[in-house]
Amino acid sequence: MIFEHPARRKEEGQVGRFEKLAELASNFTSSPVFSVLCVLLVLGFVAVHAAGLSMEWQHLAGDAMAAVSLLLLALLKNAERRAEHAVQRKLDAIAAVVLELRQGDGKGERSQAQEDLAAAIRLEERL
């Protein structure tokens, strides 16, 4: 198993099955339907405890809450990593364009700001 950034596991422009599933799940969890389901799950959890049902039912309700929480955490982290990678790629593209524009000014020498900008491109890969 290779531990790579989720956005780098496929060739540029390709989307894998996991990425498609994560995108669908992200869209579903941000919908009003999912919010209603979560409210119903919490109300069911409270109702089971308030009604004093058997310990099996209380465990089932607690386990359902824990499972949903864990899945949402994993989904949130995946979405965060994909967004972080997309922002970094955009920043690198902007920095490269600015650097190209600055190099084309005819002076021939690079300033310290240009050197710093060139060093910042793809910095996250070297950290």
Side-chain angles (χ1 to χ4, degrees), residues 11 43 77 80 100 108 127:
E11 292 294 321
L43 290 176
K77 187 61 180 173
E80 175 192 352
E100 286 176 9
L127 295 179

Side-chain angles (χ1 to χ4, degrees), residues 4 24 37:
E4 291 184 61
L24 285 172
L37 289 175

